[in-house]
Amino acid sequence: MLTLAWIVAVLAACLVLAYVNASGRAWVTGIAVALAASWGLSALPLVANLLLTVAFIVLALPLAVPALRRKLVSDGVLAAFRKLMPPMSQTEREALEAGTVWWDGELFSGRPNWRRLLATPRPTLTPEEQRFLDVDTEELCAMTTDWEAATVYRDLPPHVWQFIKERGFLGMIIPKEYGGLGFSAWAHSQVVTKLSTRCGTAAVTVMVPNSLGPGELLLHYGTEDQKRHYLPRLAKGFEIPCFALTSPNAGSDAAAMPDFAFVRWGEHEGRRVLGLSVTWDKRYITLGPVATLLGLAFRVYDPDKLIGDTEDLGITCALIPTSHPGVEIGRRHMPLNAVFQNGPNSGRDVFIPMDWVIGGQPMIGRGWRMLMECLAAGRGISLPSSNTGMSMLAVRAVGGYARVRTQFKTAIGRFEGVEEPLARMGGNLYMMDAARMLTASAIDLGEKPSVVSAIAKYHITERARQTINDGMDVIGGKGICMGPSNFLGGAYMQHPVAITVEGANILTRSLIIFGQGAIRCHPYVLKEIAATRETDREAASVAFDAALFGHVRFMLSNLARTFVTGITGSHFVRVPADIAPATRRYYQQLTRFSAALAFLSDVSMGTLGGALKRKEKLSARLGDILSHLYLCSATLKRFEAEGRQAADAPLMHWAIWDAMFRAQTALEGVISNFPNRFIAAVMRAIVFPLGRPYVVPSDRIGRDVARLLIAPSATRDRLTATMYVGKDDDDPVGLIERALVATVKAEPVEAKLKAAMRDGRLDGRLPPGAGVEVLTERAVAAKVIDAEEARALVAQRELAARVIRVDDFDADLGASLGKQMQGSLQPQAQPVRHRVAA
């Protein structure tokens, strides 16, 4: 019995030491105390005590001496690690090192510091930014629609282009000292979000120059002369920029671009100068057909060694006026009937002077890192904002429509079958907007969160796809008949563009999120990799030893934390005491899943090694876990930042339950598909010792969410706060809003009529073709309702009829619209150039 008690005590002590991530010295001390207790209590036979003592002296004590430990263990592991580590290209290395680690690092730690998250300032707009959103952006929204742009102009109308330039929309990120607006990332995000609730073409046109492109690259890497020449012209719209990265054979694998340049002497403006002879073929370049300034990425070679001893100098970025001889640009693509300017460009042996390289000659070969650094920030703003905006449009308009539209004498929004997609729409939007807000906050704090940006891009665009699809299912035929009154069809057609650009979603999920996250966010892996590249033998040994044994303690700690929190249901996990009581369990469970993610990641990397890079499904699922932890963090942060609005709680609860169930499914997916089945069984016992705790959001929560969407309320307004609602009488969203208010007002009147017809006080039988006016006249005469109530019901029916109406056209639809579109659809069409004299 004493022996058993000693063994149990030792195991418990080891679990505690691991749980708290104790130092090596604490482990040695703990083992020594256990041995002393065994000798003193005779808990083990003499031979066992002797063997354990010898093992302690031979193994444990040397491990406590760093110099001895390095010679016995670390140096050998370092040598093996160098042989086993898969080769890493320069572009892969730059992609991994680009950007910064932020809250994603906390989620990978196994013990997130929730205080740090809650202390993150909520983004706010300056008075100038708020005025721009409320006045200039509102005015721009009122100036055009997707239908007008797509069917009449095949572009933004000329007066809209001029407005965008004059009001500074193209220079939001450019500092005021260079003539721009100098807006924050949050202001940039808010403007793009609002525009996206109205006109996707306008949103993309404004979004692209303020994202990855010449302006962003010049700000961070341009010479002072380049900044002072180009930035004021870009800010005022005198130059229209585009950036050409994608090639026909280098899309998602952009680093493999075949576009090239040779260093050589040439003529420029009558002088012989050193420069580059560039050949390229690009496609999918937004604003390319109307651009006056082309940002271009290509690989530079110096075969004659004119600027150094290296021939392959690497990827480089340059700025080329599109009027420069040899630049072929102007043709258009037609991306899913969207009419934002997008097209190919090319050039062959186009000579440019060296000072057209962004940052000048010293920045040759630095282009890939430049692009990755800027993409880390830009990808976290543009697509998350535009997709959140489209989702706001879907949620507000479809929610209102579901209350106005009736079938079987019941508002369709009250059918359980419709409540289900409405619940998804509301819960997804709440989480999407929370993630948009948190990511913009990080960027405004100076972070360049490459992993977080990839998470935001992938998951917000995917949830937007689900939201728009759900909206189309609810509105049915209203959504598939195109015309001025169709508020969702344009978003439905154009949304796949967001899935494709700035890193195709399939590859973002399977390669980027965990591929970067495992190395960047892990507290030791990047240090271990850096040690393998260290040329100083002693420095490499010291650095690798510290990282290796820190990694071992980290893994043991997360193993213990995963198991203990699983056994206890995470009920004893410490979380901030001042959080909303309704969310306390979420923080605890997220901490548990954080430890599980860190543990599974270490097991996967340790057992699969470089092969994990090719196990894309496992990598994707591990990335899903990290992603859903981030989305849940953003949701909880939003709930706290908005003052714990009790009316909004159903949205928060639905979003958390949905994301945690998905994270749990991803955990199960990793374990169920792990190649080594014995290790998989052990992982399952550690991660889910008492089974899986999460299920899908309940029908009750879903019903509560759906009801929030189909009635005017402060919650509905907060959920769609950045939404543009047109004031014109025939604006489809504004019409739904008026009809919704009228429907809520008329429903009690209809209830009175139904009750009166049931008890025989009102004859509800109407002659064929008779309208509601006949019934209300009878009801007023029978004193069932008064005249004002009758007018309210008649007005509601008129508005409802306008809401559900779909567009129709003359019988010669193809001819009448085709004539308008014919010119822009011809293969040899050339778009109008938008040049403005300085």
Side-chain angles (χ1 to χ4, degrees):
M1 182 60 71
L2 186 59
T3 299
L4 180 61
W6 183 86
I7 293 173
V8 170
V10 168
L11 289 176
C14 289
L15 201 60
V16 170
L17 288 170
Y19 189 94
V20 300
N21 197 11
S23 66
R25 290 184 179 179
W27 276 96
V28 170
T29 302
I31 294 171
V33 169
L35 283 174
S38 177
W39 279 102
L41 299 173
S42 298
L44 297 176
L46 179 62
V47 174
N49 278 330
L50 286 172
L51 289 175
L52 287 174
T53 302
V54 170
F56 174 70
I57 295 171
V58 172
L59 298 176
L61 289 179
L63 293 179
V65 181
L68 192 56
R69 183 178 66 207
R70 292 200 300 272
K71 290 183 179 180
L72 293 175
V73 180
S74 301
D75 289 349
V77 176
L78 174 60
F81 193 60
R82 280 173 166 157
K83 293 178 182 179
L84 293 174
M85 195 173 74
M88 185 180 295
S89 67
Q90 179 66 21
T91 52
E92 285 181 308
R93 185 176 300 118
E94 289 177 346
L96 284 173
E97 295 174 353
T100 58
V101 177
W102 183 59
W103 181 247
D104 43 335
E106 292 283 350
L107 294 174
F108 224 103
S109 71
R111 50 177 77 201
N113 181 358
W114 296 109
R115 287 283 181 201
R116 180 185 179 191
L117 174 71
L118 297 173
T120 302
R122 183 184 182 187
T124 56
L125 299 178
T126 65
E128 180 185 2
E129 293 169 339
Q130 188 67 57
R131 191 209 65 81
F132 189 86
L133 183 67
D134 293 341
V135 179
D136 298 73
T137 309
E138 186 87 1
E139 189 174 347
L140 176 55
C141 286
M143 293 175 74
T144 189
T145 65
D146 267 329
W147 175 253
E148 179 189 54
T151 60
V152 178
Y153 294 95
R154 310 302 285 167
D155 189 3
L156 290 176
H159 67 283
V160 175
W161 268 105
Q162 194 63 31
F163 183 87
I164 286 172
K165 296 171 184 177
E166 290 175 352
R167 296 297 178 93
F169 280 91
L170 303 182
M172 289 191 292
I173 66 168
I174 296 175
K176 291 183 178 180
E177 64 182 289
Y178 295 109
L181 298 178
F183 281 178
S184 63
W186 179 236
H188 172 195
S189 177
Q190 287 287 79
V191 170
V192 171
T193 299
K194 188 164 195 171
L195 290 175
S196 298
T197 69
R198 174 64 166 181
C199 178
T201 299
V204 172
T205 301
V206 169
M207 177 177 79
V208 169
N210 291 287
S211 182
L212 175 62
E216 179 86 356
L217 293 169
L218 282 169
L219 277 173
H220 295 288
Y221 307 105
T223 66
E224 192 56 37
D225 286 344
Q226 289 173 337
K227 292 178 183 178
R228 297 208 172 275
H229 176 74
Y230 280 119
L231 290 179
R233 297 179 61 80
L234 290 168
K236 300 302 182 185
F238 299 150
E239 301 280 4
I240 301 297
C242 70
F243 191 84
L245 176 62
T246 303
S247 301
N249 293 306
S252 295
D253 186 14
M257 67 181 68
D259 313 290
F260 62 91
F262 293 115
V263 180
R264 69 173 180 86
W265 291 94
E267 294 290 327
H268 180 67
E269 296 180 345
R271 295 183 298 114
R272 186 171 184 268
V273 297
L274 187 65
L276 302 169
S277 180
V278 191
T279 296
W280 75 93
D281 182 16
K282 303 288 190 179
R283 63 180 182 179
Y284 310 149
I285 309 308
T286 300
L287 296 187
V290 297
T292 61
L293 184 64
L294 169 65
L296 189 65
F298 49 86
R299 185 174 291 275
V300 175
Y301 298 91
D302 185 14
D304 298 327
K305 309 292 178 62
L306 295 177
I307 59 174
D309 297 328
T310 305
E311 181 173 342
D312 184 352
L313 300 178
I315 293 172
T316 300
C317 298
L319 295 178
I320 305 174
T322 57
S323 59
H324 189 61
V327 177
E328 298 290 335
I329 195 169
R331 293 177 61 80
R332 289 180 70 174
H333 299 309
M334 188 175 180
L336 289 176
N337 210 38
V339 294
F340 59 84
Q341 293 285 341
N342 184 277
N345 62 78
S346 60
R348 184 173 181 82
D349 295 327
V350 177
F351 181 78
I352 64 172
M354 199 65 77
D355 58 8
W356 285 8
V357 172
I358 297 177
Q361 183 175 318
M363 296 302 287
I364 287 180
R366 302 280 300 278
W368 190 246
R369 188 177 186 92
M370 292 161 57
L371 294 173
M372 292 299 99
E373 293 275 4
C374 291
L375 188 62
R379 186 165 53 188
I381 295 294
S382 300
L383 291 171
S385 302
S386 61
N387 280 259
T388 301
M390 285 191 287
S391 298
M392 284 185 182
L393 166 64
V395 166
R396 189 169 188 106
V398 172
Y401 182 91
R403 182 72 171 267
V404 174
R405 175 64 159 153
T406 61
Q407 291 286 274
F408 308 105
K409 300 181 180 181
T410 304
I412 63 172
R414 299 194 186 281
F415 287 100
E416 285 196 358
V418 175
E419 282 181 351
E420 188 172 18
L422 287 176
R424 282 196 299 266
M425 294 172 71
N428 278 333
L429 177 57
Y430 188 84
M431 179 168 274
M432 290 160 60
D433 206 17
R436 175 181 75 95
M437 185 185 303
L438 185 59
T439 305
S441 298
I443 294 170
D444 277 333
L445 290 172
E447 300 287 346
K448 294 183 178 180
S450 55
V451 176
V452 162
S453 293
I455 291 172
K457 188 271 176 182
Y458 173 80
H459 284 276
I460 290 178
T461 57
E462 286 294 336
R463 287 174 183 264
R465 170 155 59 181
Q466 176 75 72
T467 299
I468 294 169
N469 285 347
D470 281 334
M472 290 291 286
D473 286 349
V474 172
I475 65 176
K478 175 74 174 179
I480 64 174
C481 292
M482 294 303 295
S485 66
N486 187 327
F487 56 86
L488 197 56
Y492 178 73
M493 287 191 292
Q494 297 169 24
H495 181 264
V497 176
I499 299 294
T500 304
V501 299
E502 292 193 16
N505 274 13
I506 289 176
L507 293 183
T508 298
R509 175 175 178 260
S510 59
L511 293 179
I512 295 176
I513 294 176
F514 184 75
Q516 282 191 321
I519 296 176
R520 291 305 313 274
C521 302
H522 196 288
Y524 297 104
V525 169
L526 196 59
K527 295 176 182 177
E528 291 166 336
I529 293 174
T532 66
R533 299 198 208 108
E534 175 60 60
T535 55
D536 185 298
R537 187 171 182 177
E538 181 65 19
S541 176
V542 171
F544 188 80
D545 175 77
L548 175 64
F549 281 89
H551 194 157
V552 170
R553 290 196 304 274
F554 178 76
M555 181 176 176
L556 290 174
S557 176
N558 283 307
L559 184 157
R561 292 176 64 81
T562 300
F563 180 72
V564 170
T565 54
I567 285 289
T568 62
S570 69
H571 282 279
F572 303 104
V573 172
R574 287 186 179 180
V575 294
D578 54 350
I579 56 175
T583 64
R584 177 179 175 81
R585 291 290 295 132
Y586 296 146
Y587 287 91
Q588 292 177 325
Q589 290 282 30
L590 287 169
T591 301
R592 172 189 173 181
F593 278 22
S594 170
L597 168 64
F599 170 62
L600 289 187
S601 298
D602 274 328
V603 172
S604 300
M605 288 187 287
T607 58
L608 297 176
L612 181 58
K613 188 177 180 180
R614 297 184 294 276
K615 296 287 186 182
E616 294 172 17
K617 295 175 187 176
L618 284 180
S619 178
R621 293 181 183 110
L622 289 165
D624 288 344
I625 303 166
L626 176 61
S627 298
H628 292 304
L629 294 181
Y630 179 74
L631 294 175
C632 287
S633 300
T635 302
L636 293 172
K637 168 65 178 174
R638 175 181 183 174
F639 189 69
E640 289 288 334
E642 292 183 347
R644 307 177 186 178
Q645 299 289 336
D648 300 358
L651 296 163
M652 179 271 294
H653 288 303
W654 191 98
I656 294 289
W657 274 89
D658 176 70
M660 289 298 284
F661 179 75
R662 295 191 194 198
Q664 177 182 269
T665 301
L667 284 165
E668 174 61 38
V670 172
I671 296 169
S672 295
N673 293 280
F674 204 78
N676 188 308
R677 300 313 302 153
F678 173 75
I679 293 178
V682 173
M683 289 195 299
R684 187 185 304 281
I686 294 172
V687 175
F688 296 123
L690 301 179
R692 297 187 290 276
Y694 272 91
V695 295
V696 296
S698 70
D699 289 346
R700 179 187 57 79
I701 294 177
R703 185 184 306 114
D704 291 343
V705 171
R707 288 177 178 174
L708 290 172
L709 268 54
I710 65 173
S713 68
T715 292
R716 185 169 177 264
D717 291 340
R718 279 190 294 270
L719 187 62
T720 58
T722 319
M723 175 86 184
Y724 172 80
V725 178
K727 298 176 178 63
D728 294 343
D729 181 66
D730 59 351
D731 180 86
V733 178
L735 180 60
I736 289 173
E737 288 294 296
R738 296 196 302 277
L740 175 61
V741 173
T743 298
V744 172
K745 184 178 180 181
E747 283 177 347
V749 181
E750 289 193 280
K752 289 183 180 180
L753 296 181
K754 290 178 181 178
M757 286 186 284
R758 277 197 307 270
D759 59 26
R761 291 182 293 122
L762 178 65
D763 182 4
R765 294 170 298 177
L766 298 176
V772 71
E773 295 86 354
V774 175
L775 183 62
T776 55
E777 287 176 5
R778 292 178 185 175
V780 171
K783 299 187 183 306
V784 173
I785 60 174
D786 59 29
E788 183 180 349
E789 290 174 319
R791 287 191 293 270
L793 183 57
V794 170
Q796 187 276 334
R797 292 293 176 86
E798 291 175 352
L799 287 170
R802 291 178 63 192
V803 164
I804 68 174
R805 187 180 301 144
V806 298
D807 298 293
D808 53 71
F809 304 91
D810 292 337
D812 67 344
L813 172 65
S816 61
L817 288 183
K819 288 177 182 177
Q820 296 176 11
M821 295 185 270
Q822 188 176 11
S824 61
L825 291 175
Q826 289 297 316
Q828 298 301 319
Q830 296 292 327
V832 176
R833 302 290 252 174
H834 295 275
R835 296 183 184 276
V836 180

